[in-house]
Amino acid sequence: MERPRNPEHGDYASTMAMQLARKAGVAPRELAAALADELSSRPGIKSVEIAGPGFLNIRLDAAAAGVLARDVVLAGQEYGRTDRLAGQRINLEFVSANPTGPVHIGGVRWAAVGDALSRLLRAAGADVGTEYYFNDAGSQIDRFARSLYAAAQGEPAPEDGYGGAYIAEIATAVLAAAPDALKLGRDEALEVFRVEGVKLMFAEIRQSLDEFGVHFDTYFNEKDLHDRGELQEALDRLREQGHIDERDGATWLRTTDFGDDKDRVLRKSDGDWTYFAADCAYYLDKRKRGFDRVVIMLGADHHGYIGRMKAMAACFGDDPETNLEILIGQLVNLVRDGEPLRMSKRAGTVITLEDFVDALGVDATRYALARYSSDSPIDIDIALWTRASRDNPVYYVQYVAARTASAARQAEAVGLTRGDAADFHPELLAHEKENDLLKALGEYPAVVASAAELREPHRVARYLEEVAGAYHRFYDEPACRILPKGDEPIGPANRARLWLNDATRTVIANGLALLGVSAPERM
């Protein structure tokens, strides 16, 4: 069942007859005729027409269509929630920026999209655990510590180090916490800057994400994998599966057995573990915690990880297509006057989460980043997304949230209430604009389910814009006035339209909540 693009083809269209004709052993139009006869006899069906080779064009009577307004209002926040993904335990990892600097523009996109996806998956019935992988081990942390140490001494950053004003800020904060750090020997001092610097940087990252409305169920430390011996445990498990080789003094995982372009080193000849070894241990840890599906969201520069990670899952004996899913996000630019912004006042070389929010605000940032398919590069124009006009998509949708709330307040002021559900007359919502709005509202559960299954939160945003358009056309139609005109008495039609108004606010608010965006009552 789907809504036809051409309203002349009815309220709903179905290809059921063409899909089932062969199994039924009859011609498609013959089966369509039988289905049309059966459907036409059902309550609420106004007509069923057969078109082409066997399309079914279905029209509902006004009462059957109008009942939806009542059902949406009564369901409230539950409207749109489904059990489509019930029984699935999904671990969703996103952002996972290294604790060597603020969350940059790529991480901001994943923060918005990942958080929206987690909300969608839960709305579709999945058991979801969100996770931030905290890379607090490895060479990048060494470079971070050396950069802080240099800044504390008033020296330039090492050649392979990190720059930006934030490094000096963190270094100053480390000295405030450990005033004698620079009096220690170099190695001891570096350890102080490493431990305290990472702690401070990660606290700042968490605060930034919290203020952005993104909260993780689990913050997982890479260092814990090392401290608990989980890298060795993963290696032992892979050895049991028969996919480990010892070559040139190093320990290799034969990922080429499962389509990778080359085998991967887990432990180098000097005894040090590789990053990939930690990836293996981390994946195994997630599976041991009972997650059936591990979903990892990575930036555009990580496309090469897909093959090795899928092969790694297979080496553990898992089905890579069932147990592991990797989503790749493309680049995003923040644009002013047609030119991408390149520099952050604080970070120096990249645009950060704070830069984004300062430019657009939380709501506009989240909506703008979730509105587009994550596998497409996007430019976010500051002028457009801060404009109080209908060409600004977030303003266009939020304006409906405010407009429906305003209509409800005006109704209350003149004594118009919805009344009891039993007194609702759905057949009075018979105008074309009312019917169009009802059909749009009825699509919401299917949109939520498909957006969750396809991992595409942008479907919700685009849908909300369709609902917004349908509502504006309904509200602006003189024949669909919610309030009585002049001295006219309040009648059943006014109450029915108030139900439709409030149903629209419910859907808009529920959809915006899935994107982590507010539904204001006033603008």
Side-chain angles (χ1 to χ4, degrees), residues 27 71 79 106 137 153 190 197 200 212 221 226 290 334 378 413 435 498:
D71 293 345
Y79 181 65
Q153 294 181 307
L190 284 173
L200 289 164
F212 195 53
N221 290 51
H226 292 262
L334 189 60
I378 54 173
N435 186 254
L498 184 56

Side-chain angles (χ1 to χ4, degrees), residues 224-296:
D224 289 343
L225 293 172
H226 292 262
D227 294 345
R228 295 196 298 249
E230 292 193 46
L231 278 76
Q232 185 62 52
E233 180 184 344
L235 175 58
D236 293 342
R237 180 76 65 89
L238 292 166
R239 197 184 300 278
E240 290 172 8
Q241 294 288 331
H243 301 295
I244 294 296
D245 282 343
E246 303 291 342
R247 282 181 262 154
D248 304 322
T251 302
W252 297 72
L253 180 63
R254 291 199 312 277
T255 51
T256 52
D257 290 350
F258 297 98
D260 194 8
D261 59 344
K262 62 181 180 180
D263 292 337
R264 305 290 170 175
V265 177
L266 296 179
R267 199 163 199 169
K268 296 182 285 187
S269 57
D270 61 5
D272 287 344
W273 295 101
T274 63
Y275 285 121
F276 188 61
D279 290 338
C280 294
Y282 187 35
Y283 172 81
L284 183 60
D285 184 275
K286 291 177 179 179
R287 294 285 285 122
K288 284 165 53 183
R289 282 184 272 146
F291 291 105
D292 308 309
R293 193 170 188 87
V294 173
V295 181
I296 307 172

Side-chain angles (χ1 to χ4, degrees), residues 63 66-76 417-429 492 495-500 502:
V67 164
L68 179 71
R70 180 192 64 198
D71 293 345
V72 171
V73 173
L74 294 180
T417 64
R418 294 195 305 263
D420 294 334
D423 298 327
F424 171 57
H425 292 276
E427 71 277 4
L428 297 178
L429 298 175
R495 292 192 178 92
R497 291 175 191 138
L498 184 56
W499 279 93
L500 181 54
D502 294 354

Side-chain angles (χ1 to χ4, degrees), residues 166-187:
Y166 78 94
I167 288 292
E169 294 172 10
I170 297 293
T172 300
V174 171
L175 289 177
D180 296 330
L182 292 179
K183 298 177 183 178
L184 302 172
R186 176 181 169 79
D187 290 345

Side-chain angles (χ1 to χ4, degrees), residues 426-449:
E427 71 277 4
L428 297 178
L429 298 175
H431 192 279
E432 177 187 0
K433 297 296 191 295
E434 294 164 345
N435 186 254
D436 288 344
L437 180 53
L438 285 164
K439 285 189 288 188
L441 299 181
E443 289 293 302
Y444 182 62
V447 170
V448 172

